Amino acid sequence: MIIALPKVCAERFLRAALLRRRATGQEYGPFASTLVDSLVSACLRSGKQTVVGRGRTAKCGKVESVTTQPTYRDGPGMRFWGARDLVWLARFLSVRFQDRRASMQGVNVKSEIGNLKKVILHRPGDELLNLTPNTLEELLFDDIPFLPVAQEEHDAFAKILREEGVEVVYLEDLMAEVLDAKPELRRQFLDQWIYEAGIRTEMYHDIITDYIESNYADTKAMVMKTMAGINLQELPQRDTHLLVDMVSDRCKLVCAPMPNLYFTRDPFAMIGNGVSINRMYSQTRNRETIYGDYIFKNHPDFVGTPEYYSRNDTFHIEGGDILNINEHVLAIGISQRTEPDAIDHIAHNIFNDETSPIDTILAFNIPVSRAFMHLDTVFTQIDRDKFTIHPGIMGPLTVFEITPDGKGGTKIRERNEDLESVLSEYVGEKVTLIPCGGGDRIAAEREQWNDGSNTLCVRPGTVVVYQRNNVTNDVLYKNGINCLVMPSAELSRGRGGPRCMSMPAWREAL
Ligand SMILES: NC(=[NH2+])NCCC[C@H](N)C(=O)O
């Protein structure tokens, strides 16, 4: 196996070596060899074959060579580290691996149930500490979660996924990797983040920039801070004699937090081998898409992914409404969060992408209400022939079938059959709909509220579920579904379940 060092890493590696030489008088050669040595021994320790490319560095031990290739390459058996790992390595002369399979370059999500290989999560952080009773409604929460427990629950979720062989990557790490690899983007990102937080005066822009730059030198800490938000109290008080400083409440949030970030399902969504960077329904969630935008435009794992929607497009659409039925069929909810105009637009872009095999988009018209919010709160696929469903929408439901008209446009056919027949037709076999809460109306309503039908499928017939939805989970067991149960007391206060809290980036073909 070859481990390739992308050019940016190699440059950092050399820069670190140079600094070290200045500081210690040590020559570049031995220092570099030490680094390479420790890389190699860590590889050997982890049972992997040696490593590393051709180039300027001395051969040592089992090292074949060191590559400084200009771009990430992929190919069978090729692995690479992220820039952060290498910087860390250079600093401490020790090793930490984050193996990323280059075979998972880009995204591949052509179903809701294929073996899950890679998923993007966000571990809830200090943004939850900026939720107050007065801002709950605006920030789309129903209660204030207790952060340490929410984090424990989230870690349990990640652990379940890792144990199932899923590579878990965190949004905050991807973003930090982008900014570490391209430091010139740091300032641009901060300016955009400040502007989109609603700061329009130069004075506040400068105060916030200074505050961040002088307190959050570490990139990941800076990224986390942008997610958490800034309270006026944190900023140095300036003797400005401005009215705003005399009358504004010192506890005011100058930059609002983004507490919904742990629902990584929504700000962007994988569609086959492409992505939709969404325009969100609410102002509070719209800034979340900045991270996805930077990652998909710059991160070597994702750059080059076809983009079917952009955050600058006019209409709103959210990932919770987007379900990949199979390679050819995509379902999208027309809901509180997704406008029909956005679906028209995305359909046009998908059908005009020659690399996409999708030839049918089903638009499900679901009631506009908070309990239904997204299509994935109403139904999700859990096995080849099984869906969980909110009993409230069983029966006739309007579905529009959108297909290309052969002239660059689309044609639409209204379907008025019940959900079961529509799904059976497109899935290609008779499907069973398993109602949330079993047949019990009260249990159904209670568990629907806590995302009983919002499960994350890790392979056909195996799903992650919230522990609190015990009535629904029993029904799933009885239907032969393997439920991986995660704790949910605090996370559920944000009104989203395991599917909302995850964005699959790679699923194996069925
Ligand atoms: N895909 C989902 N169902 N996401 C749930 C998101 C919940 C979040 N509080 C919101 O209102 O936006």
Side-chain angles (χ1 to χ4, degrees), residues 140 260 266 285 320 337 370 373-374 376-377 494-495 500:
L140 306 170
N260 290 291
D266 300 322
R285 294 207 69 180
R337 304 299 178 87
R370 181 149 171 81
M373 199 190 311
H374 295 108
D376 69 1
T377 59
R495 290 281 83 71
C500 313

